[in-house]
Amino acid sequence: MALLMRRHGVIRNLFDEVEGSSGDARRDAVRRLVRRLAVHETAAEEVVHPLARRTLPGGEQVVEDRLQEVKAAKEALADRDSPDTDDPARAAGRRVDCAVAAQRPQW
């Protein structure tokens, strides 16, 4: 769990890096961010979700709600992981995605 929590910070930093860069540097940062998010969510699905289902009050619903958030975030990231990573609208959308992710339950 502690490792997953530390990775939240790394992911937030990558969002900042994407937002503060342009051109090839931004494309590289977007690729690294997408990879980190994929690994992070896989770990959450394998470790955190089963534990939350068993131990949290209403755990089943909490996890199902979280899975819906993840699905929406994946769709948003897929849209933003395009060749045009310098588009300001995409950068703003990534920041919103990060803010939403930061507000989720910290199991």
Side-chain angles (χ1 to χ4, degrees):
M1 286 296 281
L3 176 61
L4 287 174
M5 298 305 291
R6 281 193 305 274
R7 289 193 177 173
H8 281 189
V10 171
I11 289 168
R12 284 187 197 97
N13 291 342
L14 278 170
F15 272 105
D16 290 341
E17 185 178 338
V18 167
E19 194 172 75
S21 60
S22 62
D24 289 341
R26 177 173 277 173
R27 280 185 281 285
D28 179 58
V30 167
R31 282 190 291 272
R32 286 185 289 127
L33 175 60
V34 169
R35 277 195 307 268
R36 282 279 184 163
L37 285 171
V39 169
H40 180 78
E41 288 306 323
T42 298
E45 290 170 7
E46 292 178 1
V47 177
V48 178
H49 294 176
L51 179 64
R53 287 180 197 273
R54 289 191 312 270
T55 61
L56 291 178
E60 189 67 37
Q61 188 60 50
V62 169
V63 171
E64 289 307 314
D65 292 346
R66 175 70 186 113
L67 290 173
Q68 289 302 313
E69 290 175 9
V70 169
K71 181 181 179 215
K74 284 180 181 179
E75 290 169 358
L77 278 172
D79 179 53
R80 289 181 182 86
D81 188 23
S82 74
D84 188 12
T85 57
D86 288 331
D87 180 347
R90 291 181 189 278
R94 283 187 295 270
R95 174 49 66 194
V96 168
D97 293 340
C98 184
V100 168
Q103 296 302 313
R104 75 178 187 201
Q106 302 296 312
W107 305 324

